[in-house]
Amino acid sequence: MAPAAISQDELYRRKIVGVNGETVTNVSSTDYPGHYPGEDHAWDIERFKHTFQVEFHHNEPLNASFSLIGIDASIANAFRRILLAEIPTLAIEYVYVHNNTSIVQDEVLSHRLGLVPLTGNPEGLNWLKWFKKPAEGEAHTGSSDYNTIVLKLQIECTRAEGAQKDEDDPAKLYNNAHVYAKDLTFHPVGRQTQFFSEALGPIRPVNPEILLAKMRPGQIIDMEMHCIKGIGADHAKFSPVATASYRLLPTIQILNPILGVDAKKFARCFPKGVIGLEKVTDAEAEKDGSGYEGQAGQLKAVVKNTFKDTVSRECLRHDEFIGKVKLGRVRDHFIFSVESTGQQNSDVLFLESVKLLKAKCIRLKRNLDNIIR
């Protein structure tokens, strides 16, 4: 017996998370996302190709926004978690303090150095291998050109010659009064000279103007830093993103006409550009049951761009809009925002998260095959 046809209202209900004044409805998914009793929802690659979409809203090296449409929240959240914690990056791990007479303690300065985002030739960064940390009590002997990058910070503060007696700006009174990330120097060894040459892109801070310390004459900082690859699950300094988040696309349904002064007030309840004001046309005013009868020329509220909405629910606080508007979010439309720390471009990071999720699936499938055998 063929399953009964599904109404458009039911399809819409399944797709929308309701947002009310005090509650959120239709939040829970089914036990198996996208599957409903008595219906055939077997996986079909061609149907997935037809329904799944990727739309880029803007794509800049350090900030990308795009929509994934037609997937379940579990998949979208997997991408988010991988972006935060599983894509490897290069960061300072070991700091050897030879001399530090600044007022910043060794531990604090080391921590600040570890959080400085680094960048370099992408091909060279991919060439770098994992560093195997020694067990507690073992000698530190595993460093090599293919797993460790060496940076140095050697700087001394002195008095500037020719400074005016009444000068009170430390930058003019002293040399090296402020220590910045640009003062870190890269010291390549072995094949690093090929992968991180000046032409291809040496290892350097993403933002050279990050302030590390302040010094006064006679103070010296002399440090050597070893950088290795790691993942955000080990420490936040290895996370390749400043943030990676998503939100569901908002929906706004105007159920009954909102006219005149109420229309202007309704538009102010939303961010600019979400709700527009248009004049009621003669055709609308003459149509029976439209709700605009005899209102030709009056301003009416219309939905322009729900993408800009923040779902503040401000309109639901006002009595004049009760029963006239319905808010919600599209369950399978995820608007991602990815802000890179600078080691890799934001769009490349997302592609890396796809590769990692694919590798996880292959590994799971292989383990299941071994269990069956």
Side-chain angles (χ1 to χ4, degrees):
M1 181 178 176
I6 306 169
S7 67
Q8 290 299 317
D9 289 342
E10 173 62 14
L11 289 175
Y12 183 81
R13 186 197 68 79
R14 293 177 180 180
K15 199 172 184 179
I16 300 299
V17 175
V19 178
N20 309 311
E22 301 293 338
T23 61
V24 180
T25 57
N26 197 26
V27 177
S28 301
S29 182
T30 56
D31 290 340
Y32 299 93
H35 290 69
Y36 297 88
E39 301 173 17
D40 182 13
H41 293 285
W43 169 259
D44 182 77
I45 185 64
E46 294 302 324
R47 182 169 58 190
F48 178 75
K49 288 179 180 179
H50 177 72
T51 57
F52 178 65
Q53 301 176 55
V54 179
E55 295 179 358
F56 265 86
H57 308 300
H58 68 263
N59 186 16
E60 300 170 1
L62 299 182
N63 189 4
S65 178
F66 54 89
S67 289
L68 300 182
I69 307 169
I71 61 173
D72 185 68
S74 58
I75 304 300
N77 197 47
F79 288 136
R80 182 190 67 85
R81 291 173 65 92
I82 291 172
L83 282 166
L84 288 170
E86 297 189 45
I87 296 177
T89 60
L90 185 75
I92 295 171
E93 176 71 2
Y94 299 103
V95 179
Y96 301 92
V97 183
H98 302 307
N99 193 6
N100 175 25
T101 57
S102 73
I103 62 170
V104 185
Q105 298 96 324
D106 295 351
E107 297 86 348
V108 176
L109 185 53
S110 298
H111 184 263
R112 291 180 65 83
L113 288 166
L115 293 174
V116 173
L118 303 174
T119 187
N121 176 24
E123 184 181 353
L125 292 171
N126 290 332
W127 166 75
L128 288 174
K129 302 297 187 293
W130 293 96
F131 175 84
K132 185 178 180 181
K133 292 185 178 181
E136 188 173 351
E138 290 184 358
H140 192 122
T141 58
S143 299
S144 182
D145 63 340
Y146 59 78
N147 63 16
T148 303
I149 297 292
V150 177
L151 300 177
K152 291 183 179 181
L153 177 60
Q154 297 171 322
I155 192 167
E156 180 180 1
C157 181
T158 58
R159 293 189 179 275
E161 296 182 3
Q164 300 293 328
K165 290 184 178 180
D166 58 348
E167 182 63 61
D168 58 1
D169 183 359
K172 296 178 180 178
L173 275 173
Y174 315 120
N175 298 316
N176 301 323
H178 297 160
V179 182
Y180 293 100
K182 61 186 176 185
D183 296 315
L184 300 175
T185 56
F186 171 49
H187 296 265
V189 294
R191 286 168 290 177
Q192 293 175 6
T193 56
Q194 304 171 18
F195 285 100
F196 300 108
S197 64
E198 287 294 332
L200 295 176
I203 298 297
R204 62 197 184 280
V206 172
N207 184 351
E209 300 301 320
I210 297 175
L211 182 65
L212 300 176
K214 293 183 178 181
M215 298 198 301
R216 290 298 179 263
Q219 295 181 345
I220 298 173
I221 295 178
D222 184 3
M223 293 178 164
E224 180 175 311
M225 293 141 281
H226 289 187
C227 314
I228 65 172
K229 290 178 77 170
I231 57 175
D234 294 333
H235 194 285
K237 67 184 177 183
F238 290 114
S239 181
V241 294
T243 182
S245 62
Y246 62 77
R247 62 188 178 98
L248 297 177
L249 177 71
T251 63
I252 304 170
Q253 283 183 287
I254 297 179
L255 305 176
N256 294 305
I258 302 176
L259 302 169
V261 176
D262 285 350
K264 294 180 180 179
K265 182 177 180 179
F266 185 72
R268 290 196 298 270
C269 291
F270 295 87
K272 187 176 181 180
V274 176
I275 301 296
L277 299 175
E278 296 179 357
K279 289 185 177 180
V280 177
T281 64
D282 292 336
E284 289 173 329
E286 294 171 0
K287 185 178 179 181
D288 292 335
S290 66
Y292 300 116
E293 296 91 336
Q295 302 291 337
Q298 281 268 28
L299 288 178
K300 64 174 181 178
V302 295
V303 179
K304 287 291 188 180
N305 187 359
T306 61
F307 182 86
K308 297 180 179 180
D309 189 27
T310 57
V311 195
S312 67
R313 297 190 268 196
E314 172 65 20
C315 64
L316 301 179
R317 297 177 58 246
H318 303 281
D319 294 338
E320 54 265 53
F321 303 133
I322 293 177
K324 291 186 176 182
V325 61
K326 188 174 182 181
L327 305 180
R329 289 183 181 271
V330 182
R331 185 187 298 279
D332 64 348
H333 188 135
F334 300 90
I335 304 170
F336 270 80
S337 176
V338 179
E339 297 180 19
S340 170
T341 57
Q343 194 161 124
Q344 299 183 63
N345 289 349
S346 296
D347 55 349
V348 174
L349 288 174
F350 177 68
L351 294 178
E352 289 297 317
S353 72
V354 174
K355 290 179 183 177
L356 280 170
L357 183 59
K358 182 179 178 181
K360 286 172 175 281
C361 294
I362 293 172
R363 191 159 56 245
L364 175 62
K365 184 176 182 296
R366 184 168 59 245
N367 291 338
L368 287 174
D369 290 340
N370 293 336
I371 292 173
I372 294 172
R373 290 172 188 167

